[in-house]
Amino acid sequence: MKTSWEKVKAKSGGEFETPYNETTLENYLLEILDELKSGSYKPDPVRQYIRARNDTGKEQKISILTFRDKIVQQALVNLLNPLFEPEFLDCSYAYRRGRSALMAADKVQEYIRCGNVWVLETDIASFFESVDHNVLIEQLQNKIDDSRIIELIAAYLTAPQFCAMSFSSTEEGISIGGIISPVLSNIYLQPLDREMVQGGYQYLRYSDDLVVFGSQKEEMQQALHLVKTSLKKLLLNINKFKTAIRHASEGFVFIGFRFDENGRGPAVKAIDALYQNIAVIGQRNSDSTSKLKEMEMMLLGWQNYYGTLNWMVPSDYPVLVALVRLAVSGGNKCWAEKLLAQQSNMLGGNAELCCYLAQEWLSLGWVEEALAELGRALAFDSHCQAAKLELAKVLAVSGKSLEQIADQLMLLAIEPQYSAGYYVLSEIFLEAGLYKHAQSAHAQAVSLESKGKPTIVRAHLPCNRRI
């Protein structure tokens, strides 16, 4: 039981809280174990909430297990995996150690490259809600002799559900969100996998999504008939609205990718979901640092799955900073340069984000860009100590010189097109002995003059102007 507890804790990212300390937790786990051995353990009612599916928008119920049921279900998974994993076929990629959606995506491309350019794509209609309990129990009994284990799994399948302030019984289906549900789903669909492979088809399954490949359209029509026949034996049906036979040149969607003869890329719905997630994070009532961290983690996960994000145009400052951090951490200087060019007039900034961005420019050795960013930070907050401390560190100046440089950088952040401001900044740098910076500021002033920009800075510029 301790092993199951550790796995549950690890899956929660270390944020799983319990009311138990080390001693009381051990006693609690022993109590659960005693109940399991005696056959007196009863699952708690399953709390559920309703959410819309990302792909269809249809409502689905998500289950939330109690603390003890998470541990017990994990213990069942630890028992079931060694028994059934050796029997699972290579065509199945979901919910299995050492296999992943990216491996399935690579296999799709391999099939297409080998000339299997006709594709049957389909999924199982309401699969998790439609699993027949009797069929599943019979499959389990063929491998498990201990009636207590069978009875415990059956108890989880039929556990009362609590949703919208009311209880309901469960006569079919396996809960979405249950720890044991993924392995049960693979067990249930083993007969389908076996018949498709024995039929000689180039077949892949990821959870309840299926694709079959062949060199002829007629072959795919035969494959569709076999899929329907196999599912009927399991008391399931295909989703006719998501079933099609097409040539790979037309493109098709599987596990979030759009595939065609030229390769793969994120599907339109995946990109839409990305922007929706960005909007959700941006609307959270939390500080900039927390939002930025969450944004980075989300974008990094998306990039690790779908590939580079260098096509993305940042919508605001938080997204810009997160993307720049990804570019810098990945050593992609060209992408960082592209993002720098997209920075002009971007909304959603604040002093804290500007300081973060300045640090990224400094890590690339882009000192002048970092100074400009610190000026923007001061334009958002003229008292920003973080920006002034960074300026002092970068320029090795203090006192009056630091204040003059900070004020002038802030002014130029507000009115970046006025050449006179750069002449003034050049003079301040000269007086501070910062000759290279003086030279750079002077060159910028000359460049602006050559473009016909005004040489006189307007007075009384508002420091809180949006930039």
Side-chain angles (χ1 to χ4, degrees):
M1 297 305 293
K2 188 69 177 293
T3 301
S4 300
W5 150 245
E6 293 294 344
K7 286 189 176 181
V8 169
K9 183 178 180 181
K11 289 178 180 179
S12 69
E15 298 178 358
F16 192 69
E17 297 182 1
T18 75
Y20 304 99
N21 57 35
E22 187 173 349
T23 302
T24 57
L25 175 63
E26 185 173 350
N27 293 333
Y28 183 68
L29 295 178
L30 288 173
E31 290 176 7
I32 294 176
L33 185 59
D34 289 340
E35 289 183 40
L36 290 171
K37 288 180 178 179
S38 66
S40 61
Y41 185 91
K42 301 296 181 185
D44 295 319
V46 179
R47 183 162 64 94
Q48 295 184 321
Y49 68 94
I50 298 174
R51 75 172 183 189
R53 288 175 58 103
N54 291 332
D55 53 350
T56 64
K58 292 184 178 179
E59 291 185 345
Q60 61 179 182
K61 291 183 178 180
I62 306 300
S63 299
I64 303 174
L65 302 178
T66 60
F67 169 58
R68 70 178 197 138
D69 282 333
K70 286 184 178 181
I71 297 171
V72 174
Q73 284 205 11
Q74 183 61 55
L76 286 171
V77 170
N78 296 345
L79 175 70
L80 293 174
N81 272 335
L83 288 174
F84 287 93
E85 178 61 33
E87 296 185 355
F88 292 155
L89 301 181
D90 290 343
C91 58
S92 169
Y93 285 84
Y95 319 128
R96 297 177 62 188
R97 180 175 295 181
R99 304 181 74 77
S100 68
L102 287 179
M103 292 173 66
D106 291 340
K107 194 67 176 178
V108 167
Q109 291 185 262
E110 179 186 325
Y111 282 149
I112 295 174
R113 283 195 301 267
C114 292
N116 299 288
V117 293
W118 281 96
V119 184
L120 163 63
E121 53 176 322
T122 187
D123 72 9
I124 303 171
S126 304
F127 167 65
F128 283 91
E129 298 88 346
S130 303
V131 167
D132 185 271
H133 291 174
N134 292 328
V135 173
L136 178 57
I137 292 299
E138 183 177 347
Q139 291 174 325
L140 294 169
Q141 287 174 331
N142 290 335
K143 199 74 177 175
I144 301 171
D145 295 329
D146 194 329
S147 61
R148 293 174 301 176
I149 296 173
I150 299 296
E151 290 170 2
L152 180 59
I153 295 174
Y156 274 118
L157 293 174
T158 57
Q161 299 173 350
F162 183 74
C163 184
M165 301 308 294
S166 63
F167 286 96
S168 60
S169 59
T170 308
E171 297 179 356
E172 63 180 5
I174 51 180
S175 60
I176 301 173
I179 291 177
I180 199 175
S181 298
V183 67
L184 292 181
S185 71
N186 278 334
I187 292 170
Y188 196 84
L189 292 175
Q190 269 193 104
L192 168 65
D193 296 343
R194 195 175 296 116
E195 290 197 28
M196 294 304 296
V197 172
Q198 289 174 351
Y201 292 104
Q202 310 289 347
Y203 158 82
L204 297 176
R205 179 177 64 80
Y206 193 88
S207 188
D208 56 347
D209 290 327
L210 324 172
V211 283
V212 188
F213 299 87
S215 58
Q216 302 293 328
K217 183 176 182 180
E218 293 75 14
E219 185 182 359
M220 295 301 93
Q221 292 170 338
Q222 295 168 3
L224 177 58
H225 176 73
L226 181 56
V227 169
K228 289 180 178 179
T229 302
S230 299
L231 289 178
K232 189 175 182 179
K233 296 175 185 177
L234 297 171
L235 306 182
L236 299 171
N237 296 293
I238 63 167
N239 184 339
K240 62 181 181 180
F241 299 107
K242 298 180 70 174
T243 299
I245 295 174
R246 66 182 84 236
H247 195 274
S249 60
E250 300 177 47
F252 62 96
V253 175
F254 178 58
I255 53 177
F257 288 103
R258 183 188 184 277
F259 296 89
D260 58 29
E261 289 181 301
N262 298 317
R264 74 188 191 221
V268 171
K269 286 184 178 180
I271 296 174
D272 290 343
L274 171 65
Y275 282 112
Q276 289 173 7
N277 289 334
I278 288 172
V280 169
I281 294 172
Q283 292 168 3
R284 294 205 200 287
N285 186 23
S286 56
D287 59 87
S288 296
T289 301
S290 299
K291 286 183 181 179
L292 180 58
K293 183 178 180 181
E294 186 177 1
M295 189 87 69
E296 281 185 79
M297 291 179 63
M298 186 271 294
L299 291 174
L300 179 60
W302 203 94
Q303 179 178 261
N304 288 342
Y305 186 72
Y306 290 104
T308 182
L309 280 161
N310 60 9
W311 53 267
M312 186 177 184
V313 178
S315 54
D316 56 24
Y317 240 81
V319 180
L320 172 69
V321 178
L323 290 175
V324 167
R325 285 188 163 187
L326 285 181
V328 173
S329 64
N332 195 333
K333 196 170 184 178
C334 291
W335 184 17
E337 289 175 346
K338 180 181 176 181
L339 290 168
L340 175 62
Q342 295 170 342
Q343 182 180 356
S344 178
N345 298 319
M346 193 161 288
L347 303 180
N350 58 42
E352 188 175 18
L353 289 173
C354 289
C355 287
Y356 283 138
L357 197 52
Q359 292 170 358
E360 299 303 322
W361 299 148
L362 286 171
S363 70
L364 293 172
W366 299 350
V367 178
E368 301 306 323
E369 287 79 2
L371 294 180
E373 202 61 48
L374 293 171
R376 291 188 185 92
L378 292 165
F380 282 111
D381 179 5
S382 60
H383 301 293
C384 180
Q385 290 301 309
K388 291 183 178 181
L389 288 172
E390 195 65 40
L391 278 175
K393 179 181 176 181
V394 172
L395 300 174
V397 294
S398 60
K400 182 179 179 182
S401 295
L402 176 62
E403 291 299 325
Q404 288 178 329
I405 292 170
D407 288 345
Q408 198 62 26
L409 287 172
M410 178 178 67
L411 180 65
L412 288 169
I414 298 169
E415 295 290 346
Q417 299 300 313
Y418 283 86
S419 57
Y422 285 97
Y423 280 124
V424 173
L425 181 61
S426 177
E427 291 296 325
I428 296 172
F429 279 143
L430 277 174
E431 292 178 8
L434 301 170
Y435 302 123
K436 287 187 178 180
H437 293 296
Q439 185 181 40
S440 177
H442 186 272
Q444 180 68 10
V446 172
S447 175
L448 288 172
E449 278 190 327
S450 69
K451 297 174 183 177
K453 302 300 181 181
T455 59
I456 301 175
V457 181
R458 291 177 291 181
H460 309 300
L461 295 175
C463 290
N464 62 348
R465 172 176 171 172
R466 176 178 284 176
I467 59 173

